[in-house]
Structures are given as structure tokens and as C-alpha cells.
Amino acid sequence: MVARRAGEKITVMTMYDGASGLEQQVDPDRPSLSRIYDHLLGGGHNFAADRAVADAITAVVPHYEVFVRANRAFVHRAVLHMLTAGIEQFLDLGAGLGGVRHVHELAQAERPQARVVYVDRDPVAVARLSLIAPQAYPGIGVLEADLRHVDEVLDHVVTAQILDLTRPVGVVAGSVLPCLPDAEEVAATLAGYHERLAPGSLLAASHTDATLLGHELAAAVEARLARAGITLVHRNRQQFAALLGPWQPHPDGVVPTGLWRPDGLAPPLPESLWGNAVLAGHGHEPAGPA
């Protein structure tokens, strides 16, 4: 990151695909969950304030980074599964800093024609994605927006340039729903995407669960994040499932994150079972790749 004087804000330049640059002020003393997760995943796009919060969490829950890594692994498995279902365009909500491999890297390695739109509110995440995606890969868009503003996201010029909303879309919501405390608002948001997207679209989502982690530990994690001005809520399996509304869970339903494994690989480490995950459909799945 950039060296600075105490109290100094950092300006980052975000570049959108097909749009002009937009300057954003970043306060490095204000932690961000996406940058905290970036540090836990071994990334370098974080500040001292982010690392301090990450250290406070791992002091309470050792190996919390395994849980974070498991959520990214679920996203990877879900994206690959969506590709086998014939989906070649993706909307990554609350994309963050991506972890080891971004959605477009996974998708385009299998289908070079795959297209991805990333959505996030963190200007550092937006700047990072904007720098790496459009330069190296065609068909990638990045926009800074609140995922709860469904029409703003789907009607944005970037989305219009990249995605064909008359065709199925793979929606990715990996670990972002816990950042939204109002359950009714989350349910309405997911229902809004369901209403706007084409039949055959798929939703891959994961969520923290206090029942699996342990209520005392979950409360401690929430408290440490709250002190940093970050909201995170845990929801149990039933509460998570209730958010899905018209999205239809696949036969496995809502399961511990590491157990959603269509590839049939060996069971994961126990720490990866601290949350739940689901793949849900919109009406019917596409028949498969042409």
C-alpha cells in the first residue's frame, strides 16, 4: 500500500470498462471487511487498521482464515458448476478483493467468452478489480454500487455493456449477505434480482452461522467488527433459507459451506463448516452448453 502521514487520506483511481476514471477518497484508518478478508487470505491490498481487526478476530477464533478461504472455495466450485449448467455470464455482488482467483479467471479459463460484472462499495476493491480485469480480460465490468439497489446495478451502463439480461445469469453472493443486518431488506433484494433476471439464472450464496461457530464466539466476532464500525450478523440455516424467497434451492438445500461439493472431493477441514451455503435456481436451469 501507499506510505502516508498520520491522518492523511489516500486517493485511488477507479477505472470502469468503457467509462472514465472516478476518484475516490479512501480513509486507511477506517477498516473494511473486504480488506480484512484480503489480509486473512494472504493478500497485500489492506492497511494496518484492517490487519489489526483481523488479528483481533483470530485472537478469538484461531484459524478464522480457513473459514474465509472456504467461502472463496465455495464460490469457485459454484462458478464451475454454473458453467456446466450452460451459464456464461456472472454478476458478483460484494465481490471484494477476490482472493486467490477471481470469478472471471475461473470462468474464462473454461469458457473464454464468459462475461462478469463485479459490484462492490469498497473503493479499494473497485480500484483493484478495475486495474486487473479490463486490461487483461475482455468482457469484464466493474461498478461501485450498493447491491441492495437492484435497478441501479442492473440498469447501470457497465452492466448493460457486459451482460445480456434476457439470458440466464449466475449471481454470486459469497459472504456478503451477513453484512446486511435487515433480513426483510435482504429478502427483498434477492427477490428483486429474481424478478429482473431471466429464468434459468442461478444464485450461489454463503452465510455465517452462529450455531455452527458457537454463539459466544460469533458474538465476539461481531463485537470486534462493530468496534471497527463494521456490521456482520450470523444467521442459522433456517434464517438463511428464509432470505431466498422465490429462489428455489437445489435438492441439497442449505448445507455447511464446505459440504457443498458437487465435485465429490474429500470433506473439508472443520473450520470450513462454520457457515452455510446454497445454490438456488430461477424457474428452471438452462439445458446446458450449446
Side-chain angles (χ1 to χ4, degrees):
M1 279 303 187
V2 181
R4 64 183 180 88
R5 295 184 297 272
E8 180 184 9
K9 291 187 178 180
I10 291 174
T11 299
V12 296
M13 180 71 77
T14 61
M15 293 297 295
Y16 300 147
D17 189 11
S20 59
L22 176 65
E23 288 191 349
Q24 295 290 338
Q25 293 293 325
V26 178
D27 184 354
D29 294 321
R30 182 177 181 179
S32 156
L33 190 59
S34 65
R35 299 196 301 269
I36 291 168
Y37 284 174
D38 175 68
H39 173 63
L40 290 171
L41 292 172
H45 299 279
N46 50 77
F47 300 107
D50 306 307
R51 296 189 287 275
V53 177
D55 292 345
I57 292 173
T58 55
V60 175
V61 185
H63 309 300
Y64 196 80
E65 73 280 356
V66 178
F67 167 67
V68 177
R69 201 175 301 278
N71 277 287
R72 293 308 306 171
F74 158 71
V75 167
H76 293 180
R77 294 194 300 273
V79 167
L80 293 176
H81 181 75
M82 290 178 182
L83 288 167
T84 66
I87 290 179
E88 296 181 342
Q89 51 180 1
F90 299 87
L91 182 65
D92 192 345
L93 301 175
L97 287 156
V100 178
R101 296 188 71 188
H102 298 84
V103 169
H104 68 270
E105 294 174 294
L106 289 163
Q108 294 190 342
E110 299 291 327
R111 307 279 173 81
Q113 69 273 26
R115 306 173 76 79
V116 181
V117 169
Y118 293 105
V119 181
D120 207 286
R121 293 190 301 173
D122 183 349
V124 172
V126 172
R128 169 62 177 163
L129 290 166
S130 298
L131 285 172
I132 65 171
Q135 293 181 12
Y137 300 87
I140 311 301
V142 184
L143 63 99
E144 183 175 357
D146 189 323
L147 67 89
R148 293 170 292 187
H149 302 161
V150 178
D151 290 336
E152 177 186 341
V153 170
L154 296 182
D155 294 335
H156 197 284
V157 62
V158 172
T159 307
Q161 288 173 347
I162 302 297
L163 304 183
D164 177 1
L165 298 185
T166 67
R167 297 173 51 238
V169 174
V171 181
V172 176
S175 300
V176 68
L177 301 183
C179 301
L180 308 176
D182 187 331
E184 291 185 3
E185 184 179 50
V186 178
T189 297
L190 293 181
Y193 284 106
H194 184 278
E195 181 179 356
R196 290 286 311 270
L197 296 178
S201 295
L202 293 173
L203 167 69
S206 58
H207 206 298
T208 52
D209 186 340
T211 304
L212 297 176
L213 176 58
H215 291 284
E216 290 187 6
L217 290 178
V221 171
E222 291 181 11
R224 278 155 177 75
L225 289 170
R227 290 173 199 155
I230 298 171
T231 298
L232 184 137
V233 297
H234 291 72
R235 295 183 174 102
N236 63 31
R237 190 175 305 180
Q238 292 73 28
Q239 292 168 328
F240 179 27
L243 303 177
L244 301 176
W247 291 95
Q248 302 170 12
H250 281 210
D252 288 343
V254 176
V255 298
T257 304
L259 295 183
W260 195 91
R261 304 178 73 82
D263 51 20
L265 296 179
L269 296 173
E271 288 86 351
S272 68
L273 305 180
W274 292 339
N276 292 306
V278 68
L279 186 75
H282 183 308
H284 64 274
E285 287 194 43

